[in-house]
Amino acid sequence: MHPPSRQDYVAITLGQRGGTYNNGKQWRRQSCWRKWKQLSRLQRSLILFTLVLLLICGLASYPTLTDHLRAGEEETMHPLVARVLPEPAKPGQLPLLPRPEQPSKRKLSNKRGPPLLQNLQPKNGNASNTVEDKAGGGKEGDEKGVISWRGAVIETEQGTEGAKDVGAKDDAAGNQEAKTVKESDHSNHNMTEADWLAAVKDSFRHAWQGYKDFAWGHDELRPISKSYSEWFGLGLTLIDALDTMWIMGLKTEFEEAKAWVATELSFNKNVDVNLFESTIRILGGLLSTYHLTGDALFLEKAKDIGSRLMPAFKTPSKIPYSDVNIGKGTAHPPRWTSDSTVAEVTSIQLEFRELSRLTQDPQYEAAVAEVMNKVHKLDGKLDGLVPMFINTNSGQFTHQGTFTLGARADSYYEYLLKQWLQGGKKETQFLEDYLQAIEGVKKNLVQRTSPNGLTFVGELSHGQFSPKMDHLVCFLPGTLALGTHNGLPQDHMDLAKQMMETCYQMYKQMETGLSPEIVHFNMHQGSVRDIEVKLADRHNLLRPETVESLFYLYRFTKDHKYRQWGWEILQNFNKYTKVSSGGYTSVNNVRDPDYPSPRDKMESFFLGETLKYLYLLFSDDFKLINLDEYVFNTEAHPLPIWPSSAA
Ligand code: DMJ
């Protein structure tokens, strides 16, 4: 019998198809296999090659699919590894820094910002100049582009003019590195010093404009409601911002503020002020402005407020009360306690000492020196670490056993070092207390996170360690670096650098790129992420401590990465806290880039400290507030280091 022809074969097999569905499938498999076997080797190779080619072309021309595949890879990767692993650096390019964890709905996008904005971003990556109003659907009149944010109009501008320039230049070059720069929208490789400084000045002007328009002469701007809030009723933001304007060379703004100080500012008011806050912001701001400008107006005002604060020291223990009525000349503790806060009574010394030196009136210095001497001798410390409260009657620490470098204790440590520096390194008691305290920090409070070994400073309560850290603690890297610059041990600088990285990660790992007020670190093995944030701690008050430390670290190391980190932070302040009608707002939720939830308040330290430190970070002129000639008070007001004969 001759072998069945193709037709016979088909006819036979067709006859078999009347069976079950399974039988049909089996038939198809057999039929295809037989046909395949009948082909020559060349034919088979050609078909295989064509199929592979088609598959490759299909994949390449279907980006959504590849995106899905990439997303799948990310999901199967350990989540923290995916977030923390740096992308490889190209020659001459800084390694890309870890991306923050994104909620799964945002998995496919690295861009930050409201979805509307992302959709409207042009393909070349430059920020849009006009963004439609989300609520109204129309265009806001503002040329910078705005979206509505629950009735409030918030700037969507992602960067500054300088940042846009980077995108444009890179686009022209059309290289892959440029694309990376645009996507991260954070790099400042091609920017000049002038670009950075202009960007910070723009931010300052924007903040100042809001204050001028809606809060002039009042304590704080409420930028969303276009109104103001009063704390002491003393033009707090205006005074806090004076020396910043001088440093930035904003002469017109400075002159209009000075005119207000000359004609409107009066301390003869029946008002309770907090001794610490008014000392660091008002007395400190006036003294530093006097030094920078040489204008006697500011010294006169400083003397006036300084003398009005003195009743605070009339206590049984000479440990000052927290509150003073500067009109009546009376002082008192808070209603619920006779305690004062340790940081508050030990962080007014730089200002009162300087006031004595300038006025040749020793009473100011004597009052604050007595506080330091008493605290120096007190029991209740742990390896140089101090508790958080001190009683104004007994002069003893209260609520003992809790130790932190955050709220209520932070600037005690800062002012130990800085008083030693201010006085020309002669008052060795300050140095000894400082060195002992830093040893105490290392022994009792420094720990590392899991899984990535970030160094942090936690808290101790009755022997129990808590891995909690306030953003306030981020002053510490800068202070440690300042100490090393002045001859203190190198291991202080090592700790400073490690902590600086941690403080940066507190921004980087949040969805908005802005740090929360408080973080908790994971320490147990098997943790998947280093940083946790409790619901109540997710706010950001535009605080300065991290950029303050970046400024010191950059001045002393000249490591460009600190500037890049500062640039990212500025970008994110612009992205999530800038209000189009003027000013910046603190926000409630740094973990929600779609709705960070404005708190409607611009703290005075945003102008007094945050923008000033950013400006100085980007300035190549290290003589602009030379750190061998000036020491910053805890509100970023530079005071002179005393000439050697004065100490
Ligand atoms: C400022 O008033 C000062 O820096 C103070 O030492 C701490 N709190 C704020 C800024 O966060």
Side-chain angles (χ1 to χ4, degrees), residues 541-605:
L541 304 183
L542 313 173
R543 284 196 190 276
E545 290 77 17
T546 295
V547 294
E548 168 186 352
S549 286
L550 288 172
F551 155 68
Y552 284 107
L553 269 282
Y554 180 72
R555 278 260 172 128
F556 299 138
T557 66
K558 298 186 186 63
D559 186 336
H560 185 76
K561 79 178 175 195
Y562 298 123
R563 280 182 160 177
Q564 183 174 327
W565 295 356
W567 180 248
E568 288 177 29
I569 292 170
L570 176 63
Q571 297 299 293
N572 290 320
F573 277 133
N574 280 335
K575 191 165 177 179
Y576 293 106
T577 73
K578 193 173 181 182
V579 181
S580 71
S581 50
Y584 288 74
T585 179
S586 45
V587 293
N588 281 315
N589 189 357
V590 296
R591 303 222 58 180
D592 188 348
D594 296 328
Y595 185 62
S597 175
R599 287 167 79 101
D600 195 15
K601 187 155 170 184
M602 182 173 76
E603 303 280 348
S604 77
F605 49 70

Side-chain angles (χ1 to χ4, degrees), residues 418-437:
K418 288 182 173 177
Q419 285 178 84
W420 177 65
L421 295 177
Q422 179 189 41
K425 304 185 186 174
K426 295 187 179 117
E427 300 149 294
T428 51
Q429 188 176 295
F430 295 133
L431 176 62
E432 285 161 18
D433 285 356
Y434 177 75
L435 288 172
Q436 194 196 1

Side-chain angles (χ1 to χ4, degrees), residues 478-496:
T479 298
L480 289 168
L482 181 64
T484 303
H485 175 71
N486 282 283
L488 302 192
Q490 182 57 39
D491 68 293
H492 288 205
M493 191 61 171
D494 300 338
L495 179 57

Side-chain angles (χ1 to χ4, degrees), residues 276-277 280-281 410-411 472 543-545 605 609 634-635:
F276 164 73
E277 298 291 356
I280 65 170
R281 300 186 200 210
D410 48 0
S411 42
L472 289 169
R543 284 196 190 276
E545 290 77 17
F605 49 70
E609 298 193 69
T634 194
E635 189 76 5

